[in-house]
Amino acid sequence: MNTVLPDALRPLTPLIEAHLGAAVQGGARLHGGDISAAYRLRTTRGEFVLKAARPTGGTHLPLYAPEAEGLALLRAAGPLAVPDVIAFGEGPGGWQYLLLSYLPPADDTPALHGALGRGLAALHARPAPGFGGTPDNLFGSLPQQNLAAGSAAEFFWHSRLRPQLERAGAALGAADRARFAELRERLPRLIPPEPPSLVHGDLWHGNLLFTVRGPALIDPAAAFSHREVDLAAMRLFGGVPGQVFAAYAGALPPAEGWEDRAALWNLYPLLAHVNMFGTGYLARTREALEAALRLPERWGAGE
């Protein structure tokens, strides 16, 4: 690692060194990150991770305080590794930053796949106080509400689908909105009645790491919600081994039909992708909506 930081981020170096009480000796860009740039830093105190971004689009959302809060929730729950938050804030040039401990990678093995499934089941099995009720945070670059709700269906509609539908505006036609209105009416009868769980909230495979400390979670959009949110997210873009799901089911079996309900839960990230990245995600969103509307109403009149 020969580069400290790209030129635009160089003003952050003294601030990072002050937080660490150490000199930054080198850095390398880490893979991924549509919203933030992430760097592995080598310092005189060891290695750390720096995430940095400059809010765009005329907004000035606090990017990393919500992420730090989500990491704290997951760390307190305990069953899976989570990076430590060293510092976060805003530096010169409008750059926001988050400084984290570095979790060295480990080989991607069946043993770690099983540990991830069991750890996620242990996370979801811990009691939560209710649906929603945590501070609002972010999903990607978008504001995410966490309004307190009396049921998973109420929370999913009012804090997840409705805000994204409002944000989508003209990207959705009248026929799309009519189908979502039908889904809203049916929603309580489509979701199995279960107690709320702490969920990661954006658990695609890029936010799962296999490390020397075991399976680890990063970049949360954490909330108290229905546990199937995380199971569905792991199926959305693929890349999560089947052994993870098998180990989860062995420890905390999901309700019958959870694989089919993945389309329902994934309407939220798909709508968010429409709003963040454009109408290229509309076809997949419409497919998921039609699959959700084909689900059987097996859970009675409500939760």
Side-chain angles (χ1 to χ4, degrees):
M1 294 187 292
N2 297 318
T3 302
V4 176
L5 288 174
D7 288 342
L9 290 174
R10 291 287 177 87
L12 282 178
T13 300
L15 188 59
I16 299 308
E17 291 181 334
H19 283 307
L20 294 176
V24 176
Q25 298 175 313
R29 181 75 182 262
L30 292 172
H31 176 72
D34 294 314
I35 310 301
S36 300
Y39 299 88
R40 176 181 169 189
L41 300 182
R42 178 169 50 85
T43 81
T44 52
R45 276 187 55 198
E47 293 186 309
F48 297 86
V49 170
L50 171 68
K51 296 180 66 174
R54 183 184 285 141
T56 59
T59 64
H60 198 67
L61 294 171
L63 296 178
Y64 298 124
E67 183 173 339
E69 291 170 354
L71 290 169
L73 283 171
L74 293 170
R75 187 183 306 106
L80 295 167
V82 176
D84 296 322
V85 175
I86 310 300
F88 60 88
E90 183 173 327
W95 285 98
Q96 295 188 33
Y97 66 92
L98 174 65
L99 188 60
L100 302 167
S101 62
Y102 175 65
L103 300 179
D107 290 338
D108 186 344
T109 65
L112 282 176
H113 300 163
L116 173 58
R118 291 187 295 274
L120 190 60
L123 174 69
H124 290 165
R126 292 178 180 271
F131 292 99
T134 56
D136 292 348
N137 49 14
L138 299 173
F139 185 92
S141 61
L142 299 179
Q144 177 173 269
Q145 295 179 334
N146 292 306
L147 303 173
S151 69
E154 179 186 346
F155 179 72
F156 190 56
W157 180 262
H158 289 288
S159 288
R160 295 295 179 264
L161 294 184
R162 184 179 69 176
Q164 295 300 327
L165 291 170
E166 292 172 351
R167 184 175 289 271
L172 296 176
D176 297 318
R177 294 188 179 279
R179 296 299 270 167
F180 272 106
E182 181 181 348
L183 180 68
R184 179 185 182 183
E185 191 279 326
R186 296 182 56 198
L187 202 54
R189 301 185 294 277
L190 302 179
I191 297 174
E194 292 193 359
S197 297
L198 174 62
V199 300
H200 176 283
D202 189 15
L203 203 59
W204 71 292
H205 69 85
N207 289 340
L208 296 166
L209 300 179
F210 296 106
T211 79
V212 296
R213 286 176 49 191
L217 305 179
I218 61 171
D219 298 351
F224 296 131
S225 185
H226 198 290
R227 63 185 174 120
E228 289 183 5
V229 166
D230 281 346
L231 297 177
M234 290 193 294
R235 294 170 62 93
L236 181 57
F237 298 121
V240 178
Q243 188 169 349
V244 175
F245 297 100
Y248 182 98
L252 190 68
E256 181 184 355
W258 74 266
E259 297 97 331
D260 296 329
R261 286 188 297 278
L264 170 65
W265 299 114
N266 284 336
L267 281 169
Y268 173 60
L270 287 169
L271 281 169
H273 276 66
V274 171
N275 289 327
M276 286 189 288
F277 304 119
T279 55
Y281 285 92
L282 267 179
R284 191 162 181 185
T285 302
R286 288 167 175 150
E287 290 172 3
L289 176 58
E290 293 307 312
L293 287 168
R294 290 194 297 270
L295 291 169
E297 297 184 4
R298 65 174 74 196
W299 307 112
E303 295 181 76

